[in-house]
Amino acid sequence: MSDPEEKVPAPTVSITKDSGGAGGTGPVAKSSPVPPEAVKAIPVRHYGRWISAVVVLVVLAMLVSAFANAQIGWSTVGDYLDHETIIAGAINTLWITLLAMLLGVVLGTILAVMRLSKNPVMSSVAWGYIWVFRGTPVLVQLLLWYNLALIFPVLDLGFYRDEMNDVMTPFLAALLGLGLNEAAYMAEISRAGIQSVDEGQTEAAHALGMTRARTMRRIVLPQAMRVIIPPTGNEFINMLKTSSLAYAIQYGELLLSATKISSRNLAVMELLLVATIWYLLLTSVFSVGQYYLERHFQRGSTRSLPSTPWQKVKANLFSLRSPSQGGV
Amino acid sequence: MTPMVKAEGVHKSFGHAHILKGIDLEVAQGEVFCLVGPSGSGKSTFLRCINHLEKISAGRLWVDGDLVGYRQKGDKLYELKEREVAAQRRDIGMVFQRFNLFPHMTAVENVMEAPVQVKGETRAVARERALKLLDRVGLGERTDHYPSQLSGGQQQRVAIARALAMEPKLMLFDEPTSALDPELVGEVLDVMRDLAEDGMTMIVVTHEMGFAREVGDSLVFMDDGVVVESGHPREVLTNPRHERTKAFLSKVL
Ligand SMILES: Nc1ncnc2c1ncn2[C@@H]1O[C@H](COP(=O)(O)OP(=O)(O)O)[C@@H](O)[C@H]1O
Ligand SMILES: [Mg+2]
């Protein structure tokens, strides 16, 4: 039997002493001992930078003043930000985004596995699906689902039978339109993730007696996640915005709620701004969430994690106070 | 006694590339069988045929008396279903040049995975045996480390433990030490020697002629998809009869 004590120590997880923003605000002490004499030179003057900054600031100031003097009822905007119709719309936007993404992720993964299948029927069907759904505008797809009753007046599934008009509510049409379209995009994302996993992994699993399906579920997909998660976060944020198209088929999301109110009080611009602010709020919240999710899935692949913005701020604060230690 | 592995005229082609050109050999139960030869001669391909990771193009291949990947009824050959192939593979352990540990699982989880998923053992039972196996390969202290936190030699020993967890009757080693830094080769060979002393049937593709000479019961020299020469390792290594064997050995010894 081999020696019980290890000759080679396992590489330990190193904790990098990142001193915060590399761009360096404040005096950041590097660990070099007694620094050599500093270089004394007249720095290059960046006149171009100054000029362009001034131009941009002037344009910005003009824009702000234009909006301030425009005929916008800012108090109306404030009043309607937490109007119950608007809140209900925001909740519907969130809800349809979540459900459509869920449909997209599940169906997309199935499509990706089909696309990579050795069975030519499977891979062609998946290819065709992706071709159709990526090649047509979402708005058109939404309208097609919503108007399905025009060509199929009655839905007959054998065990279930109903008027198509009663079945194809704005909610269901929005879910199908957004979710099925998303599946085509998620299929490509999952496929890239699955293909990123080393073939040796599949081989090792097969050699242990695992079937193809089990290998996919236990070995390949968990490893593909690291590649799949970041673009999926982007898709989620895109979906928050794209869901506004469901306005066209009378689904009561944020934009429809805003236009409903403005058709009564005629404050069109004010309510569009209310919707804008809500979209910005939602996408910002989820962008932060995405940042932390991606950071979480980097674990195991890199030995030290990049510091979060908040950690950077803290580090900079400390380094301002005591330049000698710029630790996290 | 039925041989553990029997190959009769095994051919393998990839498209137009004819890689194995009629391999005949027998591996007895409990034998340590070393397979050597230049790179590209088809050693890995032959190993992969033994557990049906590759389908052979012609010939017959048996493991412990059973045809690999097929069932014979009369003079007709029927391909086995995926489940049946998987069941055959349970009894054949394989160790790869590049370890192929599952990076998202700790050492002990790597070893437990197949017994739990394939044999349906409870986690408690599988874990207990996994810990024993890791202890046996000298890694009792590192059971909760991820592969990225282990050295190459340690990873390969986990990979051996993972294969042993299925209690195989045959172990295939495909250049298990070729990807290791020289100072880590010994610890893996020690584990393999221990396994051989325990009576495990092993087919070992290797460039470690010292190991072949000491531990091997027989040695086959393969070149360009055919068996050129075979015999007892000491005999072949000291008195090669064929020019090709001599040329190869002069390079690796
Ligand atoms: N899946 C494959 N498709 C095409 N050619 C292959 C494949 N696998 C192996 N080969 C070819 O078969 C030959 C023998 O490979 P291999 O069995 O790995 O040799 P060895 O292990 O002896 O170095 C090589 O020329 C290799 O390119
Ligand atoms: Mg090889």
Side-chain angles (χ1 to χ4, degrees):
Chain A
M1 180 83 299
S2 69
D3 45 4
E5 89 275 14
E6 305 305 329
K7 285 185 208 124
V8 175
T12 49
V13 176
S14 65
I15 297 154
T16 51
K17 292 253 169 146
D18 184 4
S19 51
T25 47
V28 173
K30 284 285 164 213
S31 57
S32 58
V34 194
E37 201 185 338
V39 174
K40 283 181 191 133
I42 318 270
V44 177
R45 308 276 182 219
H46 298 282
Y47 297 111
R49 279 189 202 168
W50 283 100
I51 293 169
S52 54
V54 168
V55 170
V56 168
L57 283 177
V58 167
V59 171
L60 217 59
M62 284 161 67
L63 263 177
V64 169
S65 105
F67 270 88
N69 296 326
Q71 297 182 358
I72 296 174
W74 285 108
S75 64
T76 316
V77 174
D79 288 346
Y80 279 100
L81 264 183
D82 57 353
H83 190 278
E84 60 181 314
T85 310
I86 294 291
I87 301 280
I91 289 174
N92 276 345
T93 288
L94 255 182
W95 187 228
I96 199 74
T97 299
L98 281 171
L99 290 180
M101 277 308 289
L102 191 67
L103 179 59
V105 167
V106 172
L107 187 58
T109 308
I110 294 171
L111 282 167
V113 172
M114 283 171 67
R115 186 92 175 77
L116 293 170
S117 155
K118 282 200 186 109
N119 182 336
V121 175
M122 287 286 182
S123 61
S124 315
V125 166
W127 182 89
Y129 182 99
I130 293 166
W131 177 64
V132 168
F133 281 86
R134 286 214 308 182
T136 52
V138 194
L139 183 54
V140 175
Q141 292 175 29
L142 284 166
L143 290 169
L144 282 172
W145 285 113
Y146 190 51
N147 292 305
L148 207 60
L150 295 180
I151 52 170
F152 300 115
V154 174
L155 175 67
D156 193 348
L157 297 173
F159 58 92
Y160 179 87
R161 199 184 142 84
D162 203 347
E163 296 284 314
M164 184 62 89
N165 259 329
D166 297 339
V167 179
M168 196 52 73
T169 57
F171 168 77
L172 188 61
L175 177 62
L176 289 175
L178 295 171
L180 297 188
N181 181 255
E182 186 56 35
Y185 287 90
M186 283 308 304
E188 292 297 275
I189 291 170
S190 305
R191 183 164 74 113
I194 290 170
Q195 284 179 324
S196 76
V197 178
D198 183 35
E199 252 180 78
Q201 295 289 308
T202 310
E203 225 158 65
H206 286 173
L208 286 166
M210 291 168 86
T211 54
R212 278 199 295 269
R214 200 181 289 276
T215 302
M216 183 55 74
R217 199 159 47 75
R218 294 285 310 173
I219 307 299
V220 177
L221 283 181
Q223 293 182 58
M225 276 307 156
R226 206 158 48 219
V227 174
I228 292 175
I229 291 278
T232 304
N234 289 339
E235 289 297 306
F236 190 91
I237 286 162
N238 275 335
M239 182 64 83
L240 275 171
K241 298 179 291 177
T242 311
S243 67
S244 66
L245 291 176
Y247 144 93
I249 57 168
Q250 302 299 307
Y251 177 64
E253 46 72 63
L254 199 43
L255 185 57
L256 188 75
S257 308
T259 52
K260 258 188 194 157
I261 297 174
S262 63
S263 69
R264 275 186 269 116
N265 69 3
L266 302 182
V268 174
M269 205 55 179
E270 284 77 3
L271 276 140
L272 284 177
L273 282 175
V274 167
T276 305
I277 291 169
W278 266 100
Y279 279 119
L280 209 52
L281 194 75
L282 290 176
T283 51
S284 303
V285 167
F286 280 98
S287 298
V288 172
Q290 184 194 10
Y291 178 86
Y292 281 93
L293 195 67
E294 279 179 29
R295 199 167 167 278
H296 175 79
F297 271 90
Q298 273 178 13
R299 252 169 251 264
S301 64
T302 54
R303 291 208 167 138
S304 65
L305 288 171
S307 44
T308 62
W310 173 237
Q311 286 170 337
K312 280 184 194 166
V313 169
K314 274 199 295 187
N316 282 340
L317 283 181
F318 282 125
S319 67
L320 282 180
R321 248 186 278 150
S322 55
S324 55
Q325 50 183 81
V328 177
Chain B
M1 208 156 56
T2 43
M4 184 55 86
V5 176
K6 184 167 181 215
E8 252 180 36
V10 169
H11 286 256
K12 173 68 190 174
S13 307
F14 294 106
H16 291 296
H18 199 177
I19 305 299
L20 298 180
K21 302 169 182 170
I23 303 282
D24 298 283
L25 53 79
E26 263 187 40
V27 179
Q29 312 248 0
E31 191 176 12
V32 177
F33 187 95
C34 297
L35 196 53
V36 303
S39 174
S41 56
K43 307 180 297 293
S44 299
T45 304
F46 181 65
L47 273 197
R48 294 157 53 79
C49 287
I50 294 177
N51 63 1
H52 210 53
L53 285 176
E54 303 287 359
K55 278 183 193 160
I56 61 177
S57 318
R60 289 281 194 281
L61 194 51
W62 293 266
V63 169
D64 205 14
D66 294 325
L67 267 183
V68 175
Y70 302 92
R71 181 187 302 111
Q72 187 154 18
K73 267 196 201 145
D75 56 354
K76 282 223 179 79
L77 222 47
Y78 297 87
E79 225 175 288
L80 293 185
K81 296 197 193 80
E82 193 200 354
R83 285 203 166 277
E84 297 169 310
V85 172
Q88 278 190 335
R89 287 185 184 136
R90 289 182 197 183
D91 296 336
I92 306 172
M94 188 159 195
V95 176
F96 301 87
Q97 185 174 349
R98 285 174 51 244
F99 328 135
N100 296 349
L101 288 180
F102 305 134
H104 57 303
M105 301 180 186
T106 60
V108 69
E109 285 166 351
N110 263 279
V111 181
M112 289 163 63
E113 179 67 10
V116 171
Q117 294 293 325
V118 178
K119 278 192 180 166
E121 278 181 11
T122 64
R123 293 189 68 79
V125 170
R127 188 178 169 83
E128 196 174 330
R129 197 179 39 230
L131 292 176
K132 266 190 209 139
L133 282 167
L134 285 172
D135 200 41
R136 180 174 172 193
V137 299
L139 287 171
E141 310 281 291
R142 303 199 179 265
T143 55
D144 292 326
H145 285 55
Y146 283 93
S148 64
Q149 299 168 325
L150 297 172
S151 74
Q154 291 167 342
Q155 288 188 54
Q156 193 60 298
R157 286 185 280 153
V158 174
I160 294 175
R162 177 176 71 175
L164 290 178
M166 292 299 283
E167 298 174 318
K169 52 192 180 193
L170 167 67
M171 285 283 284
L172 310 174
F173 292 85
D174 193 356
E175 302 199 31
T177 58
S178 293
L180 297 178
D181 291 336
E183 77 270 24
L184 304 181
V185 168
E187 61 190 65
V188 172
L189 292 183
D190 285 345
V191 170
M192 290 167 62
R193 188 173 293 125
D194 176 63
L195 208 52
E197 277 162 18
D198 240 32
M200 175 65 77
T201 312
M202 297 161 57
I203 303 184
V204 185
V205 174
T206 186
H207 293 298
E208 296 292 330
M209 296 306 159
F211 176 86
R213 192 192 318 251
E214 266 180 63
V215 184
D217 297 309
S218 58
L219 183 143
V220 156
F221 173 69
M222 231 173 105
D223 193 10
D224 199 21
V226 294
V227 171
V228 175
E229 184 164 353
S230 62
H232 194 274
R234 245 177 307 252
E235 206 174 283
V236 179
L237 292 177
T238 43
N239 281 319
R241 277 167 292 150
H242 288 71
E243 283 310 314
R244 281 199 274 178
T245 320
K246 282 179 196 160
F248 173 75
L249 289 178
S250 71
K251 277 183 220 145
V252 295
L253 283 181

